[in-house]
Amino acid sequence: MSARQAIQLNNVTKKFKKTTVIDEMNLQINEGEFLVLLGPSGCGKSTMLRLIAGLEKANSGEILINGQDIKQDSYFANNFAMVFQDYALYPNMTVYQNLEYALKVHKVPKRERQTRLNKVLNMLNLTAYQDRLPGQLSGGQKQRVALGRGMVKKSNIFLLDEPLSNIDVQLREKARDEIKSMHDTSHQTIVYVTHDQLEAMSLGDRIAIMNNGVIQMIDTPNNIYNNPINLFVAEFVGVPQINTLTGEIIDGQVYFAGYSLIADYSRLNKLGLISGNIYIGIRPENIHVSEQPQNAASIPVIVDKIVDYGRYQELMLIIANGQLIKATTTNNQFVIEDNVYATLVDKKILLFNQQTKQNIEYSLEN
């Protein structure tokens, strides 16, 4: 039995004058799902959220909430809570009153209101500020109030637009954990906009990667990271960024810098590649650096730079052809100008068509 769809977009297009911001978008969000919209600035994430909320009108297509078109449904807004990027707090109301307002409108009993509000005030470290007006708060405090206002409402659908972007790192992690815990308990349908990959990976049941108003890929965090549909997704997700190398197919073998990288002939035979150029993608943690070659595909390199991030070290390596590649390790033993070997884990190598930028193996695995 398939999951019930809480939100559905069918061929939705949104334009601002002559600029297409959302381009024939098709999207289904299941009831109780936590979906994260991730993408660079200006890709259409926030506009898409506002379309779902009914704050913007699409130029074409339809948006269904629980199977009903939002153009025809006058009561659907009562089932929404939204956290805006610009806070949208009532300036003449205290923190407590801002949080309480929606509950009063929906006639939530006083005792229940107090219980919800005290829990959220404590959760977001706002108890000491509950009698202050928004003008007396910092940007991060205002954002926490906006987040809390959405949390106390306990709506069926919760829309969040960059809710943690101005919050201090320590509180951001706590707030992120509380949002995740809230979803695990309430099973609300949540649509969450962010440009922060860590937030996206830690919160989302699925992640939709957007670019230029188009969803490039929608899948679980694991599949997004390990089996990206195209080069844009591969390069956008992951820190440090994936290494993108120009390789060559010779007689069905994948070569880079004169070395054959993939020993699994059955994998290569499935692709049916004979000759031509290709993009090779390999994440830095999947490059092993050693004093001696580990196999026939180990590439001689020179350590050019070392950056210590504490929990791991990033090595910048120079190949004989002058190209740079990044590798990461948790127990670096090398120094700058060391002559070492880089071995790419062949099972983790991604292959992309040089013209279309598509992952050549994606359609074979899905």
Side-chain angles (χ1 to χ4, degrees):
M1 183 177 178
S2 60
R4 180 182 173 187
Q5 292 176 357
I7 303 171
Q8 188 172 353
L9 279 69
N10 297 323
N11 298 314
V12 171
T13 294
K14 174 63 180 177
K15 297 182 179 181
F16 291 114
K17 296 183 179 179
K18 294 183 179 181
T19 302
T20 300
V21 181
I22 302 294
D23 192 5
E24 295 188 1
M25 179 77 68
N26 288 288
L27 175 65
Q28 291 78 41
I29 304 172
N30 295 326
E31 191 175 69
E33 180 176 18
F34 198 131
L35 180 77
V36 177
L37 303 179
L38 177 66
S41 298
C43 71
K45 306 184 300 292
S46 294
T47 300
M48 187 167 152
L49 203 69
R50 293 177 66 84
L51 285 168
I52 293 172
L55 300 174
E56 299 281 357
K57 291 185 179 180
N59 294 84
S60 61
E62 64 176 1
I63 301 173
L64 307 178
I65 305 297
N66 295 325
Q68 299 187 56
D69 193 321
I70 62 172
K71 295 177 184 176
Q72 303 168 358
D73 190 357
S74 60
Y75 67 86
F76 84 95
N78 292 335
N79 295 317
F80 274 81
M82 183 167 181
V83 177
F84 295 89
Q85 198 169 1
D86 58 358
Y87 318 134
L89 302 177
Y90 297 109
N92 60 330
M93 292 185 182
T94 65
V95 168
Y96 192 95
Q97 290 168 337
N98 264 281
L99 295 175
E100 187 182 36
Y101 181 73
L103 302 185
K104 278 188 171 182
V105 169
H106 293 291
K107 304 188 186 306
V108 175
K110 184 176 181 180
R111 182 172 295 181
E112 172 67 13
R113 292 203 308 265
Q114 290 175 336
T115 300
R116 290 194 202 178
L117 290 169
N118 288 335
K119 182 178 180 180
V120 168
L121 285 166
N122 182 61
M123 181 191 306
L124 297 177
N125 287 1
L126 288 171
T127 303
Y129 309 99
Q130 62 181 310
D131 296 323
R132 294 190 187 183
L133 295 171
Q136 299 171 308
L137 303 175
S138 68
Q141 290 164 347
K142 290 177 185 177
Q143 196 156 38
R144 278 184 275 154
V145 176
L147 176 60
R149 188 171 57 183
M151 294 173 78
V152 298
K153 193 177 176 185
K154 293 187 177 179
S155 301
N156 294 333
I157 296 174
F158 196 6
L159 309 177
L160 300 99
D161 190 2
E162 303 270 11
L164 308 181
S165 59
N166 291 326
I167 297 178
D168 294 338
V169 173
Q170 292 84 354
L171 282 175
R172 187 186 311 161
E173 184 174 354
K174 180 181 178 183
R176 188 174 67 230
D177 292 342
E178 292 294 347
I179 292 171
K180 182 67 173 175
S181 178
M182 175 192 69
H183 177 256
D184 291 342
T185 302
S186 67
H187 305 293
Q188 289 173 294
T189 302
I190 296 180
V191 186
Y192 187 106
V193 166
T194 185
H195 64 269
D196 187 307
Q197 295 182 32
L198 180 60
E199 280 182 27
M201 292 290 187
S202 62
L203 289 173
D205 296 324
R206 289 190 301 163
I207 300 172
I209 307 291
M210 291 185 63
N211 190 38
N212 296 327
V214 176
I215 291 179
Q216 301 290 312
M217 181 178 185
I218 180 167
D219 211 324
T220 63
N222 180 64
N223 286 339
I224 291 276
Y225 188 79
N226 291 304
N227 190 24
I229 192 171
N230 57 33
L231 195 56
F232 173 81
V233 174
E235 292 183 335
F236 185 76
V237 175
V239 178
Q241 190 179 49
I242 194 171
N243 293 287
T244 303
L245 315 171
T246 300
E248 188 176 6
I249 305 294
I250 302 175
D251 295 329
Q253 299 292 304
V254 177
Y255 283 87
F256 171 70
Y259 292 83
S260 177
L261 298 182
I262 298 178
D264 185 350
Y265 296 119
S266 63
R267 175 185 173 187
L268 295 169
N269 289 336
K270 287 180 184 177
L271 300 178
L273 302 174
I274 304 300
S275 62
N277 291 331
I278 196 171
Y279 285 130
I280 298 166
I282 186 74
R283 298 203 179 275
E285 67 269 23
N286 295 322
I287 298 178
H288 296 165
V289 183
S290 57
E291 292 182 4
Q292 300 297 325
Q294 295 185 3
N295 55 43
S298 296
I299 303 170
V301 295
I302 298 173
V303 179
D304 181 60
K305 187 183 295 184
I306 301 172
V307 182
D308 191 346
Y309 289 97
R311 63 188 177 90
Y312 70 89
Q313 297 80 46
E314 179 182 286
L315 308 181
M316 189 72 76
L317 309 170
I318 300 179
I319 304 171
N321 62 9
Q323 189 162 358
L324 293 172
I325 59 174
K326 289 181 181 180
T328 58
T329 180
T330 57
N331 58 346
N332 178 49
Q333 301 173 353
F334 307 112
V335 297
I336 293 174
E337 295 188 354
D338 271 357
N339 290 281
V340 295
Y341 291 85
T343 305
L344 284 60
V345 179
D346 62 352
K347 291 182 179 179
K348 296 294 186 178
I349 291 173
L350 300 169
L351 304 174
F352 299 93
N353 183 291
Q354 203 166 54
Q355 281 71 47
T356 66
K357 311 294 193 298
Q358 296 297 303
N359 182 343
I360 294 172
E361 296 178 281
Y362 184 83
S363 60
L364 299 176
E365 299 176 7
N366 292 271

